[in-house]
């Protein structure tokens, strides 16, 4: 196959399908309990320097407890897949955890504005960046999930996004057309928050999947947090509902309200006040340090963070918002 | 009936969305335009969001293109891959984009100002924008117009317009017959010239002069032979926009 050109960006992960197969060959298929704690899972499964990918969509169905714990444990020199990484990127950037990033969408929090601290990280040159697009990263997970070294696609072509990527432009062996070859992305660790899981790691997700099914299959290690732990009988009653199968999963932790301050479909809406508090605190580095001390470094776990943010009363308010059943005028 | 520029832009965008077509939207004005179109000219418009939601009966403006409103009572709650596959397969008719810079060919920058490795300003990056601009049939923009945003050349081309002109998209390998369609600003409706693929003013809004448009553009615009005056919002459009689409004025309040 003819390679016509290639992006200048660095490829942070190995797309080799045979080396991935060697890894997956050694991965346990045993149906055994993987139930653990947030701190144990992060200490055991996330090593400094590894490449991490976060499930969900920025402020929706994100594994906040795991992200806070990575900051608390002072994880360093991580690579990150920036597949719409908004509040998740904001947390890891705040903790100084990352030094390289495959960027599709970061720094912004969509309609809420830009994260000042995340911008500082880019603008100080403190981050090595390779550019991609959201579809490119989703399709790169898909290639890895398929066990092939690349997948062809038709976006990115002709732009600076391609020029600063690590993609290659190839000639289609069937039609002769130009295509972009997207290298398979096998993250070292995926962090995913789901609605329900059993102790083995069989997961159910309500609402959109974003790219989490592909991601869980692509990643070498998968840490799952769930709103609610369920009995294996519930999984077996509706196997078609299993979005992520147990044999891809390495650790399971029950974390109720685990996507807070993000949205969890059908459970609770995002806490826009607290997300704004983050953005506002970031405007001044000293204020931001105090803010992080209060909410992350000064808390021993996610439960304490929820208490600080308003506890059960706040969660009930966000549930009413999500279910559109709040007092008139809240929405 | 009095209206503000944002309300006019949303109404003009909505009228371009053909009934029975598909559109991928983000949050903000594009979403408002799609919601208005569903309630006026295009009851069968299929609204899709890149994170996987499609065909919702939107109870309110989503804050994120992945929040639960994007599939509230929806027809489909799938994945990013499935929505982007539909674009690549040729089943998405319209999309809306925005950016920090836009050039005469409709190329968009939403990545950096200045040098890439150490930028003066870092923006979020492509997100799904490059994919949508590459793969949807028609790309529209709802954007404020000024000389700092409408530049002769983007610092960084995040998402493709007509690139360097006629034939450039095809030469780059992008699917044929795709590209920028309309740019809707607070001053004008701008299309793209068939021969040169450069921006061409098709209509100016009521009360806006040719001079206003020229002063707020950092490059030379082409002008249609018969530049129209944009039809203002109807009373019915305004009523629906204010009462049903954006009752809390999240978007139209910015006008």
């Amino acid at each position: 196959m003819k390679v016509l050109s290639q992006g200048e960006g660095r490829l942070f992960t190995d797309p080799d399908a045979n080396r991935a197969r060697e890894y997956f060959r050694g991965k346990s298929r045993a149906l055994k309990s993987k139930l653990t704690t947030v701190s144990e899972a992060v200490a055991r499964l996330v090593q400094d320097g590894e490449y991490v990918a976060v499930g969900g969509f920025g402020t929706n169905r994100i594994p906040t407890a795991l992200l806070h714990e990575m900051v608390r444990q002072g994880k360093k020199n991580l690579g990150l897949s920036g597949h719409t990484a908004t509040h998740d990127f904001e947390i890891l950037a705040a903790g100084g955890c990352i030094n390289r990033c495959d960027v599709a969408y970061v720094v912004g929090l969509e309609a809420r504005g830009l994260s000042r601290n995340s911008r500082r990280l880019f603008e100080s040159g403190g981050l090595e960046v390779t550019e991609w697009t959201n579809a490119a990263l989703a399709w790169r997970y898909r290639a890895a999930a398929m066990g092939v070294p690349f997948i062809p696609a038709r976006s990115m072509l002709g732009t600076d996004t391609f020029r600063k990527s690590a993609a290659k432009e190839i000639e289609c062996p069937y039609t002769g057309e130009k295509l972009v070859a997207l290298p398979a992305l096998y993250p070292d660790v995926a962090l995913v928050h789901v609605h329900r899981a059993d102790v083995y790691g069989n997961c159910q997700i309500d609402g959109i999947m974003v790219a989490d099914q592909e991601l869980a299959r692509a990643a070498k290690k998968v840490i799952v947090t769930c709103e609610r732990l369920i009995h294996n009988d519930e999984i077996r009653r509706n196997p078609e509902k299993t979005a992520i199968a147990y044999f891809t999963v390495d650790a399971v932790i029950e974390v109720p309200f685990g996507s807070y301050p993000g949205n969890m479909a059908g459970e609770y809406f995002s806490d826009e006040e607290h997300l704004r508090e983050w953005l506002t605190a970031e405007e001044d580095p000293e204020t931001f340090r105090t803010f992080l001390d209060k909410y992350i470094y000064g808390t021993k776990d996610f439960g304490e963070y929820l208490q600080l943010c308003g506890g059960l009363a706040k969660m009930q308010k966000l549930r009413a918002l999500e279910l559109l059943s709040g007092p008139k005028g809240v929405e | 009936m009095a209206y503000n520029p944002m309300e006019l832009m949303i109404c003009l965008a909505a009228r371009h969305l053909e009934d029975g077509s598909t559109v991928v939207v983000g949050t903000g004005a594009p979403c408002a335009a799609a919601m208005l179109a569903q309630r006026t000219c295009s009851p069968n418009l299929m609204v899709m969001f890149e994170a996987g939601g499609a065909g919702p009966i939107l109870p309110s403006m989503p804050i994120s293109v992945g929040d639960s409103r994007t599939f509230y009572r929806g027809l489909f709650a799938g994945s990013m891959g499935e929505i982007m596959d539909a674009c690549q397969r040729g089943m998405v008719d319209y999309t809306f984009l925005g950016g920090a810079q836009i050039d005469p060919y409709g190329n968009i920058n939403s990545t950096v100002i200045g040098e890439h490795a150490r930028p003066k300003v870092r923006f979020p990056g492509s997100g799904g924008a490059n994919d949508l601009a590459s793969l949807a049939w028609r790309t529209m923009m709802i954007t404020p117009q000024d000389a700092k945003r409408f530049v002769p050349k983007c610092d960084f081309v995040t998402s493709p317009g007509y690139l360097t002109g006629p034939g450039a998209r095809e030469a780059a390998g992008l699917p044929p017959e795709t590209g920028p369609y309309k740019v809707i600003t607070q001053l004008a409706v701008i299309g793209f010239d068939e021969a040169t693929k450069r921006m061409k003013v098709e209509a100016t809004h009521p009360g806006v002069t040719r001079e206003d448009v020229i002063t707020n553009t950092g490059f030379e615009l082409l002008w249609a032979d018969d530049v129209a005056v944009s039809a203002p919002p109807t009373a019915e459009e305004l009523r629906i926009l204010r009462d049903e689409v954006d009752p809390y004025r999240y978007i139209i309040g910015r006008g």
Side-chain angles (χ1 to χ4, degrees):
Chain A
M1 195 177 299
K2 210 162 127 195
V3 173
L4 304 170
S5 72
Q6 83 179 66
E8 301 163 7
R10 186 153 79 87
L11 187 56
F12 298 128
T13 52
D14 181 2
D16 190 290
N18 283 335
R19 281 193 286 272
R21 279 177 64 87
E22 270 311 298
Y23 179 87
F24 289 124
R25 184 180 208 171
K27 186 160 174 152
S28 169
R29 283 86 158 137
L31 196 67
K32 59 170 196 232
S33 172
K34 294 156 190 171
L35 206 55
T36 182
T37 63
V38 165
S39 59
E40 191 279 332
V42 169
R44 175 166 54 95
L45 295 167
V46 185
Q47 302 308 319
D48 286 355
E50 286 189 327
Y51 186 99
V52 171
V54 182
F57 194 81
T59 50
N60 310 289
R61 205 166 46 67
I62 51 168
T64 314
L66 295 172
L67 298 164
H68 281 198
E69 186 61 21
M70 284 159 70
V71 172
R72 231 179 263 120
Q73 291 188 16
K75 298 293 178 190
K76 287 275 176 275
N77 303 321
L78 298 175
L80 181 73
S81 170
H83 176 268
T84 299
T86 65
H87 188 52
D88 40 353
F89 185 94
E90 191 179 20
I91 295 168
L92 295 178
C97 304
I98 47 180
N99 68 1
R100 61 199 189 282
C101 188
D102 281 316
V103 170
Y105 186 102
V106 297
V107 170
L109 274 91
E110 300 187 71
R112 307 170 184 94
L114 298 174
S115 152
R116 190 67 76 87
N117 183 65
S118 304
R119 278 179 65 177
R120 274 194 289 268
L121 183 59
F122 278 89
E123 291 159 18
S124 68
L127 198 64
E128 191 183 354
V129 175
T130 303
E131 302 285 340
W132 302 92
T133 67
N134 270 344
L137 291 181
W139 286 330
R140 290 185 62 197
Y141 295 151
R142 187 186 286 171
M146 288 169 71
V148 294
F150 77 93
I151 193 165
R154 307 189 72 186
S155 68
M156 293 178 66
L157 295 159
T159 61
D160 291 323
T161 304
F162 173 82
R163 191 169 57 81
K164 291 294 179 186
S165 78
K168 292 176 197 268
E169 192 185 27
I170 58 168
E171 194 181 275
C172 172
Y174 294 97
T175 65
E177 278 167 316
K178 280 183 188 170
L179 296 169
V180 66
L182 301 169
L185 201 176
Y186 294 95
D188 292 312
V189 197
L191 314 168
V192 181
H193 185 65
V194 304
H195 288 79
R196 294 168 299 277
D198 70 6
V199 294
Y200 309 116
N202 293 299
C203 302
Q204 298 180 345
I205 294 172
D206 298 338
I208 55 171
M209 296 290 165
V210 193
D212 292 12
Q213 291 182 291
E214 293 94 332
L215 171 59
R217 293 164 190 159
K220 294 178 178 164
K221 297 176 278 185
V222 178
I223 307 178
V224 166
T225 59
C226 60
E227 286 292 316
R228 196 159 63 86
L229 198 63
I230 56 172
H231 196 277
N232 178 250
D233 285 352
E234 278 191 59
I235 294 288
R236 291 188 186 275
R237 210 163 13 245
N238 290 295
E240 73 281 359
K241 277 194 178 171
T242 304
I244 296 172
Y246 81 96
F247 57 85
T248 63
V249 175
D250 297 87
V252 177
I253 308 113
E254 186 183 44
V255 183
F257 305 105
S259 176
Y260 177 87
N263 169 221
M264 190 70 183
E267 297 288 335
Y268 44 92
F269 202 63
S270 48
D271 184 353
E272 292 303 316
E273 275 172 46
H274 186 61
L275 287 168
R276 202 171 312 116
E277 200 184 338
W278 263 86
L279 290 178
T280 311
E282 287 187 18
E283 282 170 21
D284 172 55
E286 206 152 302
T287 310
F288 191 42
R289 187 73 218 175
T290 314
F291 175 90
L292 293 176
D293 281 341
K294 176 180 171 189
Y295 286 113
I296 299 185
Y297 295 109
T299 53
K300 80 170 191 312
D301 58 24
F302 191 68
E304 278 193 17
Y305 170 68
L306 289 182
Q307 279 307 318
L308 273 180
C309 293
L312 201 54
K314 170 60 79 59
M315 300 308 132
Q316 286 177 307
K317 197 178 142 201
L318 296 174
R319 189 186 300 279
L321 261 182
E322 173 65 11
L323 302 178
L324 301 164
S325 60
K328 209 169 153 46
V330 172
E331 185 47 25
Chain B
M1 201 183 230
Y3 57 88
N4 70 34
M6 182 59 84
E7 290 172 328
L8 175 60
M9 286 157 75
I10 292 169
C11 291
L12 291 170
R15 293 174 201 157
H16 282 293
L17 297 170
E18 215 177 311
D19 197 22
S21 64
T22 49
V23 61
V24 174
V25 298
T27 54
C31 186
M35 288 170 76
L36 177 62
Q38 281 183 322
R39 288 161 172 81
T40 51
C41 53
S42 309
N44 299 305
L45 178 70
M46 169 66 156
V47 180
M48 305 160 100
F49 295 86
E50 66 174 59
I57 298 174
L58 286 161
S60 60
M61 288 285 168
I63 299 172
S64 159
V65 296
D67 78 35
S68 51
R69 304 304 188 235
T70 63
F71 48 93
Y72 180 77
R73 303 187 67 207
L75 295 170
F76 180 68
S79 69
M80 162 92 61
E82 287 168 297
I83 300 296
M84 291 302 188
D85 288 352
C87 289
Q88 189 160 258
R89 210 160 59 236
M91 291 205 71
V92 170
D93 299 306
Y94 298 99
T95 194
F96 285 97
L97 302 179
Q101 293 179 321
I102 177 169
D103 77 8
Y105 297 106
N107 300 307
I108 295 173
N109 177 11
S110 60
T111 303
V112 287
I113 301 289
E115 190 204 332
H116 182 259
R118 193 156 182 170
K120 205 156 83 184
V121 187
R122 175 73 210 198
F123 296 111
S126 160
N130 177 295
D131 309 303
L132 297 168
S134 298
L135 305 172
W137 290 109
R138 288 172 160 178
T139 300
M140 297 208 264
M141 288 154 237
I142 303 177
T143 177
Q145 182 174 357
D146 60 63
K148 271 177 77 176
R149 194 181 291 262
F150 281 57
V151 294
K153 195 175 184 312
C154 292
D155 283 32
F156 188 99
V157 175
T158 308
S159 303
Y162 289 107
L163 298 174
T164 53
R169 281 179 74 93
E170 292 77 5
L174 294 169
E177 293 174 52
T178 55
Y181 176 55
K182 304 285 177 201
V183 180
I184 297 165
T185 79
Q186 81 282 13
L187 303 173
V189 176
I190 307 170
F192 290 83
D193 179 54
E194 197 54 50
T196 63
K197 299 293 182 191
R198 288 177 62 101
M199 278 193 203
K200 181 158 137 184
V201 181
E202 293 175 353
T204 53
H205 301 340
V208 173
T209 66
R210 196 176 271 238
E211 199 53 39
D212 294 333
V213 180
I214 291 168
T215 331
N216 284 289
T217 310
F219 52 83
E220 201 175 327
L221 285 163
L222 304 174
W223 293 79
D225 292 336
D226 44 351
V227 175
V229 175
S230 308
T234 65
E236 180 67 355
E237 282 172 331
L238 284 175
R239 185 193 64 74
I240 294 169
L241 187 55
R242 292 170 184 175
D243 295 353
E244 296 174 23
V245 173
D246 190 16
Y248 299 105
R249 304 184 56 80
Y250 291 131
I251 312 301
I252 59 178
R254 294 183 210 158

